[in-house]
C-alpha cells in the first residue's frame, strides 16, 4: 500500500513540474465554455488530456522505466497507480465540469437547450475512459517517443469530438431514467477498465526498457 501511495505522489509531483502548461490548458478549456454550452464537455476533456498527456511525456523523458525496474517496486503496481491516478483525475474533472455547468445554467450565460448535466458528465466519462484505458497504456508500454503520433491522435481526437458527443447523447431517445443510464455507463466503464488494466500490466511486465 505504501508503494502505491508513493507512486501516486510521484505522479502528482510530475503534474506540479508541468503546472504552467496544464494551467494554460485549463484556462483555455474554461474559456471555450462561454462560446457554446456543448463545449463544457470539451473543457473537461482538455483538462483530462493535459493531465494525462503531459505526465506520460514527462515520465518518458525522465526514463521512468529504468527507475521502476531499479527500485523494489512491483511493475504491476506502477501500472495500477496510473489507473488510480486516471480515476482520481476523472473524478476531479467531473466535479469541475459540474461546477462550470451549474454556473452557466444559474446565470443563463448560454442556452443549454436539451443538454443536461447528466449527458455532459457521461460524455466526459466516456472520453476519460478512452484516454485512461487506451492512450495511457500505449504510452507506458511502448513509450511516448516511440508511439507519440498514436498517443497524440488518441489524446486529441476525443477532445475534438466531445461537443458532438454531448449532442449525440442528448438526442438519444431511450426509455430509461438518467440514474439508470449513469449506472449502466459506470458499470461498462468499470468492466472495460479492469480488462484494460489486466492486459496493460501483463504487457508492461514483458516490456524491454533497454
Amino acid at each position: 500500500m505504501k508503494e502505491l501511495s508513493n507512486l501516486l505522489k510521484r505522479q502528482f509531483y510530475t503534474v506540479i513540474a508541468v503546472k504552467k502548461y496544464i494551467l494554460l490548458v485549463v484556462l483555455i478549456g474554461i474559456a471555450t465554455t462561454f462560446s457554446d454550452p456543448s463545449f463544457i464537455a470539451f473543457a473537461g476533456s482538455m483538462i483530462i488530456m493535459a493531465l494525462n498527456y503531459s505526465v506520460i511525456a514527462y515520465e518518458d523523458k525522465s526514463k521512468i522505466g529504468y527507475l521502476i525496474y531499479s527500485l523494489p517496486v512491483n511493475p504491476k503496481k506502477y501500472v495500477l497507480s496510473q489507473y488510480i491516478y486516471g480515476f482520481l483525475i476523472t473524478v476531479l474533472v467531473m466535479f469541475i465540469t459540474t461546477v462550470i455547468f451549474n454556473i452557466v445554467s444559474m446565470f443563463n450565460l448560454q442556452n443549454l437547450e436539451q443538454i443536461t448535466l447528466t449527458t455532459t458528465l457521461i460524455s466526459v466519462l466516456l472520453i476519460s475512459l478512452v484516454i485512461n484505458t487506451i492512450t495511457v497504456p500505449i504510452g507506458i508500454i511502448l513509450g511516448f517517443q516511440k508511439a507519440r503520433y498514436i498517443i497524440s491522435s488518441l489524446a486529441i481526437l476525443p477532445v475534438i469530438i466531445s461537443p458532438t458527443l454531448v449532442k449525440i447523447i442528448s438526442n438519444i431517445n431511450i426509455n430509461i431514467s438518467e440514474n439508470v443510464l449513469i449506472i449502466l455507463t459506470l458499470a461498462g466503464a468499470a468492466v472495460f477498465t479492469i480488462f484494460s488494466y489486466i492486459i496493460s500490466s501483463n504487457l508492461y511486465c514483458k516490456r524491454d526498457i533497454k
Side-chain angles (χ1 to χ4, degrees), residues 20-187:
K20 290 183 179 179
Y21 163 72
I22 293 174
L23 181 59
L24 177 62
V25 172
V26 170
L27 292 175
I28 293 173
I30 293 176
T32 60
T33 63
F34 298 102
S35 62
D36 189 315
S38 62
F39 274 65
I40 297 175
F42 177 81
S45 303
M46 282 189 67
I47 298 171
I48 291 173
M49 183 273 290
L51 288 168
N52 282 285
Y53 188 88
S54 56
V55 168
I56 295 173
Y58 188 88
E59 288 188 346
D60 189 70
K61 186 177 180 181
S62 303
K63 304 296 181 183
I64 188 65
Y66 291 99
L67 177 62
I68 294 299
Y69 278 92
S70 66
L71 296 173
V73 175
N74 187 329
K76 287 191 176 184
K77 284 190 177 180
Y78 166 66
V79 177
L80 180 59
S81 72
Q82 294 282 355
Y83 279 79
I84 294 175
Y85 169 78
F87 170 76
L88 294 175
I89 292 303
T90 300
V91 172
L92 173 63
V93 172
M94 291 182 76
F95 173 76
I96 294 173
T97 301
T98 301
V99 172
I100 295 173
F101 186 95
N102 287 329
I103 291 174
V104 172
S105 177
M106 185 183 303
F107 293 98
N108 294 317
L109 299 176
Q110 285 289 339
N111 182 13
L112 296 176
E113 300 176 346
Q114 295 181 336
I115 297 174
T116 66
L117 178 59
T118 299
T119 56
T120 302
L121 291 178
I122 288 176
S123 299
V124 172
L125 178 62
L126 292 176
I127 291 166
S128 174
L129 186 67
V130 172
I131 294 175
N132 289 327
T133 62
I134 299 177
T135 307
V136 172
I138 289 175
I140 62 177
I141 293 169
L142 298 180
F144 180 80
Q145 292 302 320
K146 291 181 181 179
R148 61 184 179 277
Y149 297 115
I150 298 175
I151 295 171
S152 298
S153 299
L154 288 173
I156 295 173
L157 183 61
V159 176
I160 294 174
I161 67 170
S162 57
T164 304
L165 183 61
V166 172
K167 292 176 181 178
I168 291 173
I169 295 176
S170 298
N171 292 327
I172 293 176
N173 188 16
I174 49 179
N175 194 25
I176 59 174
S177 68
E178 288 189 343
N179 290 335
V180 173
L181 183 59
I182 292 173
I183 292 172
L184 290 175
T185 304
L186 290 173

